[in-house]
Amino acid sequence: MFVNEVNDVKIYNLSAGKSVPDWLTDRRKRSQLMKKVDTRRQIELIQDFDMPGVCTSIRMSPDQQYILATGTYKPRVKCFEVSNLSIKFERCFDSEVTTFEVISDDYSKMVFLQCDRYVEIHAAHGRHYRLRIPRFGRDMKYHKPSCDMYIVGVGRDIYRLNLERGQFLQPYESDASCLNACEVNPEHHLLVVGTKEGTVEAWDPRTKQRCAILDVAMKLPGVKEFPSVTSLKYRNGLHLGVGTASGHVLLYDIRARQPLLVKNHLNNLPIKRLAFNPAQNAVYSLDEATLKLWDEQTGKQIAYVESTTSFNDFCTIPDTGMFFLAQEDVKMLTYYVPAMGPAPRWCSFLDNLTEEIESEVVENVFDDYQFITQKELAELGLEHLIGTNLLKGYMHGYFMNVRLYNKAKAVVEPFAFDRFRKEKVRQEIESERKSRLQIESKLPKVNKELALKIMDEQANPSNSAKQRNMPSLLQDSRFKAMFENTDFAVNKDAEEYRLLAPVLNRLDKSKAKQLKQRVEVAHVAELHADEANPREDSDNDEDLFGFEKSDPDHSSGDEASSDDEDRRDYVKEMKQAYKQAKFLRDEEQRAENEDEEPDGPDDYVSPLANVNINKPPSITPTFKLTALDKDQGNSELQRRIKQVSLQDRVRVMSNLEGQVTNVGRSLGNRQMTFEVNREKKLQNFAKKREEELKKHRQERRGIVRPIKSLKLKKVNFK
């Protein structure tokens, strides 16, 4: 049994826990039952309360003694007897069941609507009769006074099958193109059907005529298309619940056209089924993802149940807080909500049991696995497991078996538990110890500067209404650990903080400037008051705050000069911060290179270890990567360089050229830049260009014809 608490309402999941494989023997199952604590605490309320594959629909008999459920595969129906808390019988079908109705007090008379247009009528001994309807059916309801079974589906006809006479009667013809749901009122027996066009039609079985049409889709706010009606349910003789394909639930008084309440599930999923709890004024509404319990007067949510798979159907036990859920899974879920009513008589022990159980955390999906990041994996020294079956990649890290994680943690940090125990003891002693002088301090123990800034912003809120109405982080329970746990303390020695410090300092200076402007505004207001009421010391050049009187002609110039000075100071601080960060980064790089040098035979030896770096083999000082391909004498060095890692290759290049530099931060984003000898390259390019121009001029001389051969006459333009 697992407990989930939503809005101070406890929801007990009686079907929670791991499923035991069917192929295990009874002896093996008992051994696993004794080993695992969660399996020992698991409550199997009804034995074998499951389906081979999927459960499609579930119902409770009117006498509340039998639970009937249909599912696959093969298509079947199971009947469970609550007095014995076990299965009573099981029957198989030729096709899947769309829906079914129990038309007697117990299981002796049932009607099943199947997906291949067949309708099967079952008695206590088994199948009694099987017939076929003209079109595919979607829903059906039984009308007791006339013994008529109303069947709706694809098409405009409402089929009437009289079970007393054993024949079809004249169907009702609606104006809709397709009918999705139907419901019969238990008091005055009015038939209502939900259409694809978003309307509800009411039919009177006495006159065999339609008496009213209710347009539901027009009453929905913010809906662009007309959603179809997918479910209907009567609360009593006057109130009706309507569920739509857009995820809305509307509550109507059948005497009015305006809805009493509109509830939106906010997920745009069709409402599959509705139910009412009159004792608690609650409504149950089911869609594919959630089952919501909410108040029928205000629409306020009471509780909800989320699905791990898709929900198909549910049924409630009247006057109790228990309900069953059919889902796209093997298990059929059983939930008990004490706030909705007591436990049924056949499991009254649940009331005493739930009083003794304390609230527990909802179980994790991966309770046998531990999630670790790439950094934690490197700290444990298990990076070689990447790509194996021992690590399952997930988001920004990996899942690994919790037993393997605990073993690796114990090897890497053998004294971690002792430190943890001492820290816990110290925290307990500090919490119980009381000082002699009780000093009330509003500042927390961790991140005091951040708390001071938050308190200052709260004391002097900005003009925007959003910031004025925002709650304080100091009072928010979600951020409570940030001011109590030392693991969340701001690390001022980190590289990111050093680079960000000038920006924070400038923000603090801007706040100080705003404070000064406030004081100046107050001073100007006081001067105006003094002009209205002159005093003897009005000629004084300074005010009470120590500020000189400002000249309006020079105020703008002073502000501009102060802004320029602030900008220059800010640039200086940023440059200094970057220089300091680069210096510390170079120190870390130098320390890493020293640590990674091979110290013994067990360490990694680079293939370039035999290469004399100070005296390179017969290559020019301006070494380029392309020279390895051109010079046959360097083939041995080229082969060795290709075999080593990038780090050793960079080290060799830096010693050969002296121009390889590493740029990047300590936490990643590394990059390598190097420069080749550009002078020789430019000289070669200039020589090549000069030769090309010389060749081009010679070709032009051979082609151009001299002008003397034309024998032109001189023309005098005067």
Side-chain angles (χ1 to χ4, degrees), residues 62-75:
D63 60 357
Q64 301 183 19
Q65 295 298 316
Y66 302 96
I67 304 170
L68 296 111
T70 61
T72 57
Y73 182 82
K74 292 180 52 176

Side-chain angles (χ1 to χ4, degrees), residues 127-288:
R127 188 172 73 184
H128 176 70
Y129 193 75
R130 190 170 188 243
L131 54 92
R132 203 170 191 182
I133 57 176
R135 294 181 179 272
F136 293 97
R138 294 185 176 178
D139 198 5
M140 65 179 182
K141 284 295 182 292
Y142 181 62
H143 185 246
K144 284 188 178 181
S146 63
C147 296
D148 287 344
M149 178 66 69
Y150 295 108
I151 305 172
V152 299
V154 178
R156 56 186 300 182
D157 295 330
I158 304 173
Y159 301 111
R160 293 193 299 152
L161 176 62
N162 190 276
L163 300 181
E164 183 181 11
R165 299 168 60 180
Q167 66 181 19
F168 281 102
L169 303 180
Q170 182 69 26
Y172 299 154
E173 293 185 2
S174 66
D175 294 336
S177 61
C178 186
L179 303 176
N180 296 327
C182 62
E183 182 68 20
V184 176
N185 194 292
E187 296 184 11
H188 49 70
H189 307 293
L190 182 68
L191 171 67
V192 290
V193 294
T195 68
K196 184 180 179 181
E197 286 74 17
T199 60
V200 176
E201 296 185 3
W203 292 79
D204 190 351
R206 298 170 300 178
T207 61
K208 313 295 190 297
Q209 293 180 357
R210 183 177 60 205
C211 54
I213 297 178
L214 179 63
D215 195 345
V216 176
M218 295 296 292
K219 307 301 180 183
L220 296 179
V223 178
K224 297 180 180 180
E225 299 178 356
F226 287 97
S228 59
V229 176
T230 55
S231 60
L232 296 166
K233 185 65 178 179
Y234 276 107
R235 183 185 183 275
N236 48 34
L238 296 178
H239 293 90
L240 172 68
V242 181
T244 65
S246 61
H248 292 82
V249 180
L250 299 93
L251 301 183
Y252 281 94
D253 189 323
I254 61 174
R255 298 168 295 182
R257 293 188 176 273
Q258 297 294 330
L260 300 175
L261 182 68
V262 179
K263 175 68 174 178
N264 189 1
H265 271 216
L266 301 174
N267 52 14
N268 294 326
L269 295 176
I271 304 298
K272 292 190 173 182
R273 195 169 182 84
L274 295 173
F276 289 91
N277 189 339
Q280 303 295 330
N281 292 327
V283 182
Y284 300 76
S285 55
L286 176 77
D287 60 25
E288 196 175 285

